[in-house]
Amino acid sequence: MIDGIELNRLKIIENKNGNILHFLKCNEKSYKGFGEVYISTIKTNSIKAWKKHIKMTCNFIVPIGKIKIVVFDDRKESPTKSEIQEFILSPKNYFRLTIPPNIWFGFSSLSVKDSFLINFADIVHDPDEKIDKEQNFIDFKNWFKND
């Protein structure tokens, strides 16, 4: 596991009228405070990459669809420098992925319909604290390989 990344299995409470999908509790290690929550949609076979936050900790879940999230560690002092790791999140593979600051990430939809990624961030979005790069910035060829 890339240093600082957390993957936590989440609870789904089944109900005949609709399920309850847990996300994050204030007493969990992944909780760093509240900044904002937003939903990012991604179309089938689309890729959103690459982004790195300088200050923000991201907590991702995928309640609708299926998304491959790829993370890359280029931190100079990290024990996992230069490592790439993949995660596939969906309601059937229901986890919260916590990405600390200074880790590159990108994601792609593996669903036949739009997928939804929810981010519970510890700070309010600030366009000056993130870096965006083009998709070819990191050579990752397995975006649509469905593991």
Side-chain angles (χ1 to χ4, degrees), residues 34-145:
F34 176 74
E36 68 179 9
V37 175
Y38 65 84
I39 297 172
S40 180
T41 62
I42 184 161
K43 297 189 179 300
T44 302
N45 295 328
S46 291
I47 298 170
K48 291 185 176 183
W50 291 96
K51 180 183 283 192
K52 174 169 74 170
H53 288 283
I54 307 305
K55 299 176 188 172
M56 181 186 287
T57 297
C58 297
N59 288 285
F60 293 159
I61 65 162
V62 177
I64 298 171
K66 186 175 185 180
I67 295 177
K68 178 183 286 191
I69 302 168
V70 180
V71 295
F72 173 68
D73 187 358
D74 74 341
R75 300 170 293 174
K76 291 178 183 171
E77 305 299 322
S78 174
T80 53
K81 185 178 183 331
S82 301
E83 288 188 25
I84 293 179
Q85 195 164 7
E86 302 175 42
F87 302 91
I88 296 179
L89 303 183
S90 71
K92 290 185 180 179
N93 194 37
Y94 194 59
F95 286 86
R96 179 183 60 248
L97 178 63
T98 302
I99 303 174
N102 295 304
I103 299 282
W104 290 101
F105 65 86
F107 49 91
S108 64
S109 177
L110 302 176
S111 294
V112 294
K113 295 184 178 181
D114 289 2
S115 293
F116 289 62
L117 178 140
I118 300 176
N119 182 19
F120 185 109
D122 65 335
I123 64 171
V124 174
H125 179 264
D126 174 0
D128 294 329
E129 75 81 39
K130 70 174 178 68
I131 301 169
D132 291 308
K133 296 284 187 179
E134 295 296 321
Q135 183 182 324
N136 63 0
F137 169 67
I138 298 168
D139 186 22
F140 185 76
K141 303 211 185 296
N142 296 317
W143 281 110
F144 300 116
K145 183 178 165 206

